[in-house]
Amino acid sequence: MTRFITSSFSHLILLIGILIMVVPVWMIFASSTHTSSMINMNGLQMFLGDSFYENYLRVLLYQGGFFKEITAFKMFFNSFIMATGVAILSVVTSLMAAYALVYYRIKYATLLFWIIFITILVPLELRIFPTYSVMAELNLVNSYFGLIVPISASAIATLFFRQFYKTVPDELLESAKLDGANTWRFFVDFLIPLSKTMIVAMLIFMFVFGYNQYLWPLLVTTSEQYWTVVMGLKMMSGSIVHRFAFVMMSMVPPILIIIVLQKYFIKGVFQDK
Amino acid sequence: MSFLDLKNVTKIYPNGTKAVHETSLSVDEGEFMVFVGPSGCGKSTLLRMVAGLEDITEGDINLDGKLINEVDPSERDVAMVFQNYALYPHMNVYNNLAYGLKNRGIDKETIEQKVNDAAKLLQISDYLQRKPSMLSGGQRQRVAMGRAIVRNPKIFLFDEPLSNLDAKLRIQMRLEIKKLQQKVGVTSIFVTHDQVEAMTLADRLAVINNGIIEQLGTPIEIYDNPKSLFVAGFIGSPQMNFLDGNIKNKTLSAEGFEIKDIDSDFEGEVKLGIRPEHLSQSENSLINLKVDLVEQLGSDNLVYGQLKDKKDFCYRCPGNLTIEKGADLSLNIENNKYYIFDKSTGKRVN
């Protein structure tokens, strides 16, 4: 009986937590399915209305921005390119950096690693002007390349891969050497397959990181053609229901990716076998 | 020149530790050589230098008439079985065996042929599609051996491959390794700290201590004729008994007894070594043993006790003799099988 009470109590606390997180999201979603006059008169809604298709379709195809050059659809496309680019590029560079740090006989490899690692303490906002001026000098303002590259060096991913490589037994490398594997083959045939789950986890992590970027895309794009979804949230004009609909849609890609790949994400981050 | 030739090979680690001292050794084609010694004696380092996994500080290693000091491990045509097997965890057994062949650019059909032959030889054909994590210790061991065999290398190197197995499996695999080596006829070097493994597997044995080969010979030579105190103590189970003594005018006097007319001109402090199995009970005794403990192994009894001077002593007798705890035994050395070592240098003097 006491066990029933304690477990009900903890379930109650968890339920309250879930409600606190879910209710605002639900209210935005419910409200986004009404007409704007309804929201303006009666405030936020708890129940679904019947303008779902009308509102969402309008948002996807509406020509927004100051010059009416961008649609929500294009923003999703831009965000997708940027997030995918950041994810792939940062995972590839981190894999290689970690490989070099662990397996090459680099003097002061540990020191080098910590220098890479402390860049975590230097947020993008701190280096945003020099980074911008480099991009401007290279004529990369208003390009996907300029959106992706400056935020694609990830110390976190390097840390994860380095720690993982350190747990790979030396005998594996020695055995592979005797089997005729060179440095490149060992990387491709051993380390990449062995860190598969971690690679997927990092891809998800970096995808969401890239997708959520706000300040950098804001600075490095002046053409509306390169607006991303997160920028668009701020820039989007229109009535309140359309903004709500856009907010809802902006949450879909990261959630989708996490739902589909969550098995790998959990495996990779918590490293069980 | 023999098949594998080590000439004054020395290994000094960057931190200054000298692991191997000017070691010279030759191994004939098809021979099964065992390196045996306590842990940290340099036996594995020596093996890894042959494999190319450790740099050679000084000296030369020749394999099949070719100097291999600077040759990359992958080019040396050696195969190694590691202590923890080092199987590739993400590949199934088939690919574990095939990987080395693929890297050598051998065509698919030949690879399949070779892998299947090796699998049959090692009785692992049923597991070819399994991952190493789904295999038992003994099966993993076989896969590790298969990976070595399939490449048909010039030399097999075994780095304590049996130490992760339980006692029964170890004895079984020991037999299989020996049989396999005889069947395939590949030159092999086997590193172990277990003297029973060493004695049973070896054609020739190198007893290594502190980076030096103390003695090299067939197992029986080494057992019958140890050249130093270390070798005498290391080879043989239970261990040889050692007593302090003194030689004067060809007479050795130890605590409580004397041996006359010994075959040595040495004079001074010595250690007298007597193997537990070279003793027997007799009337005109040399040694008096007070029994503390009897271990009955069935075929033999191991009798532990103390001499007059409280020195621990062991005597091995046939299992059909009943010996009680607390008994006083009179023992004699059979056929004068005793060993005398210089106490200061540890060298044999008789």
Side-chain angles (χ1 to χ4, degrees):
Chain A
M1 193 61 198
T2 44
R3 187 190 279 178
F4 176 76
I5 292 171
T6 49
S7 87
S8 320
F9 184 67
S10 46
H11 275 86
L12 189 73
I13 290 179
L14 292 173
L15 265 173
I16 292 172
I18 290 172
L19 285 177
I20 289 174
M21 297 218 258
V22 168
V23 167
V25 177
W26 171 255
M27 283 174 78
I28 292 176
F29 178 64
S31 304
S32 74
T33 59
H34 289 271
T35 57
S36 50
S37 53
M38 166 82 173
I39 304 293
N40 286 338
M41 282 190 298
N42 302 329
L44 292 174
Q45 296 296 307
M46 282 302 281
F47 300 100
L48 294 176
D50 43 18
S51 311
F52 176 80
Y53 287 111
E54 195 192 316
N55 290 345
Y56 279 77
L57 268 180
R58 201 195 106 95
V59 169
L60 263 184
L61 304 173
Y62 177 73
Q63 306 274 314
F66 301 116
F67 303 102
K68 308 286 178 210
E69 278 176 349
I70 181 99
T71 60
F73 186 77
K74 183 76 201 279
M75 288 187 214
F76 276 106
F77 178 78
N78 288 344
S79 277
F80 183 76
I81 297 278
M82 181 178 174
T84 314
V86 169
I88 292 174
L89 198 61
S90 62
V91 166
V92 168
T93 50
S94 309
L95 270 170
M96 290 183 166
Y99 184 47
L101 285 170
V102 175
Y103 284 97
Y104 283 55
R105 283 185 202 158
I106 302 172
K107 253 193 172 178
Y108 310 116
T110 314
L111 182 73
L112 272 175
F113 168 71
W114 287 112
I115 290 174
I116 293 174
F117 191 71
I118 54 170
T119 59
I120 284 178
L121 303 178
V122 185
L124 178 73
E125 288 76 6
L126 252 171
R127 62 175 172 93
I128 208 150
F129 287 111
T131 309
Y132 182 83
S133 83
V134 169
M135 286 294 121
E137 295 276 320
L138 292 173
N139 256 337
L140 289 171
V141 176
N142 285 327
S143 70
Y144 288 123
F145 195 85
L147 274 173
I148 294 167
V149 172
I151 53 169
S152 291
S154 166
I156 292 270
T158 311
L159 167 80
F160 267 88
F161 289 127
R162 172 183 183 262
Q163 296 315 102
F164 173 70
Y165 290 168
K166 288 199 153 210
T167 66
V168 173
D170 286 344
E171 283 89 351
L172 212 57
L173 172 67
E174 291 173 346
S175 189
K177 264 190 201 166
L178 290 173
D179 260 347
N182 56 26
T183 339
W184 174 248
R185 287 249 72 92
F186 181 68
F187 184 54
V188 173
D189 291 346
F190 289 82
L191 291 180
I192 289 183
L194 284 173
S195 46
K196 206 169 56 192
T197 49
M198 190 172 279
I199 289 174
V200 175
M202 284 300 132
L203 280 174
I204 299 169
F205 189 76
M206 298 314 298
F207 182 92
V208 175
F209 172 77
Y211 186 86
N212 284 341
Q213 286 302 313
Y214 173 67
L215 188 59
W216 178 247
L218 191 69
L219 269 175
V220 84
T221 61
T222 49
S223 155
E224 288 175 8
Q225 284 301 320
Y226 290 98
W227 279 13
T228 64
V229 173
V230 179
M231 284 166 73
L233 286 178
K234 175 83 174 28
M235 305 294 200
M236 212 46 178
S237 49
S239 68
I240 188 135
V241 286
H242 297 137
R243 290 184 185 203
F244 282 166
F246 190 60
V247 166
M248 287 315 297
M249 285 197 288
S250 74
M251 288 195 280
V252 172
I255 289 176
L256 215 59
I257 255 191
I258 287 185
I259 288 174
V260 173
L261 298 173
Q262 64 168 333
K263 195 179 86 188
Y264 293 101
F265 187 72
I266 290 166
K267 257 194 198 167
V269 173
F270 299 104
Q271 257 311 295
D272 57 344
K273 292 250 163 95
Chain B
M1 192 185 274
S2 45
F3 191 66
L4 174 73
D5 227 18
L6 277 66
K7 237 180 266 157
N8 299 326
V9 171
T10 299
K11 173 75 191 179
I12 303 168
Y13 283 107
N15 64 9
T17 320
K18 211 169 182 184
V20 176
H21 299 255
E22 301 197 8
T23 297
S24 296
L25 174 81
S26 41
V27 183
D28 293 328
E29 189 154 13
E31 192 177 21
F32 201 122
M33 168 69 76
V34 173
F35 294 168
V36 65
S39 44
C41 71
K43 57 190 191 302
S44 282
T45 310
L46 200 56
L47 187 82
R48 291 165 58 81
M49 283 198 279
V50 175
L53 300 173
E54 298 278 357
D55 294 333
I56 301 160
T57 315
E58 271 168 49
D60 290 335
I61 298 182
N62 282 286
L63 179 64
D64 202 9
K66 200 176 128 204
L67 184 71
I68 55 167
N69 277 26
E70 300 296 329
V71 178
D72 198 71
S74 59
E75 313 276 304
R76 289 191 186 195
D77 206 4
V78 301
M80 189 154 167
V81 178
F82 291 85
Q83 184 172 358
N84 61 8
Y85 318 135
L87 300 181
Y88 309 143
H90 57 299
M91 297 185 193
N92 63 20
V93 171
Y94 181 91
N95 285 326
N96 261 284
L97 297 190
Y99 186 71
L101 299 173
K102 279 183 196 157
N103 279 340
R104 281 171 174 72
I106 297 170
D107 67 271
K108 253 190 169 164
E109 278 137 47
T110 320
I111 291 178
E112 202 173 325
Q113 178 73 37
K114 284 188 171 203
V115 170
N116 286 334
D117 287 350
K120 209 179 271 173
L121 189 67
L122 289 157
Q123 298 160 349
I124 50 172
S125 303
D126 295 342
Y127 319 127
L128 284 177
Q129 297 310 321
R130 291 200 198 165
K131 292 267 176 75
S133 56
M134 294 160 75
L135 301 177
S136 70
Q139 288 164 346
R140 286 181 201 185
Q141 172 74 58
R142 282 164 202 268
V143 176
M145 305 242 303
R147 207 168 56 181
I149 287 173
V150 80
R151 287 207 347 240
N152 206 0
K154 283 185 184 149
I155 190 162
F156 275 174
L157 307 172
F158 297 91
D159 192 2
E160 307 206 20
L162 301 179
S163 48
N164 283 357
L165 300 176
D166 62 61
K168 198 176 159 196
L169 204 54
R170 197 179 306 161
I171 294 170
Q172 190 193 336
M173 288 309 296
R174 193 169 80 199
L175 275 170
E176 285 188 26
I177 288 179
K178 182 73 178 170
K179 273 193 217 157
L180 196 74
Q181 195 266 345
Q182 283 172 349
K183 203 191 274 178
V184 186
V186 178
T187 315
S188 305
I189 303 179
F190 189 103
V191 162
T192 178
H193 59 261
D194 179 354
Q195 54 101 11
V196 181
E197 251 170 47
M199 296 282 288
T200 49
L201 284 170
D203 291 331
R204 272 196 309 153
L205 198 59
V207 184
I208 301 178
N209 186 30
N210 285 330
I212 295 169
I213 297 184
E214 291 251 349
Q215 193 171 352
L216 187 67
T218 65
I220 287 302
E221 266 169 31
I222 288 178
Y223 174 82
D224 281 343
N225 219 346
K227 294 242 169 68
S228 71
L229 198 61
F230 174 80
V231 176
F234 196 79
I235 299 294
S237 167
Q239 207 195 14
M240 187 185 276
N241 297 298
F242 291 110
L243 302 172
D244 288 322
N246 208 324
I247 303 184
K248 230 179 210 172
N249 298 326
K250 295 209 170 224
T251 301
L252 186 149
S253 37
E255 283 288 325
F257 64 91
E258 278 188 346
I259 304 173
K260 289 196 171 105
D261 285 331
I262 56 163
D263 183 20
S264 171
D265 295 327
F266 187 83
E267 302 234 320
E269 298 271 299
V270 291
K271 283 261 185 197
L272 172 67
I274 308 161
R275 290 201 187 276
E277 53 271 37
H278 292 161
L279 291 161
S280 61
Q281 296 186 56
S282 72
E283 295 290 308
N284 52 349
S285 73
L286 207 57
I287 301 163
N288 289 307
L289 180 69
K290 190 164 176 57
V291 179
D292 281 339
L293 184 79
V294 182
E295 284 181 351
Q296 292 182 307
L297 303 178
S299 59
D300 293 307
N301 287 337
L302 298 181
V303 180
Y304 296 93
Q306 291 180 331
L307 303 184
K308 273 183 198 144
D309 57 342
K310 302 283 176 203
K311 182 103 180 125
D312 289 326
F313 203 81
C314 175
Y315 157 52
R316 182 178 200 147
C317 69
N320 54 13
L321 289 181
T322 13
I323 291 169
E324 297 286 324
K325 190 184 158 192
D328 282 304
L329 300 183
S330 318
L331 301 175
N332 222 336
I333 304 169
E334 285 177 347
N335 307 324
N336 284 334
K337 277 193 182 165
Y338 55 83
Y339 308 92
I340 304 170
F341 304 95
D342 181 341
K343 197 174 177 182
S344 54
T345 62
K347 290 269 178 283
R348 177 90 175 272
V349 293
N350 74 327

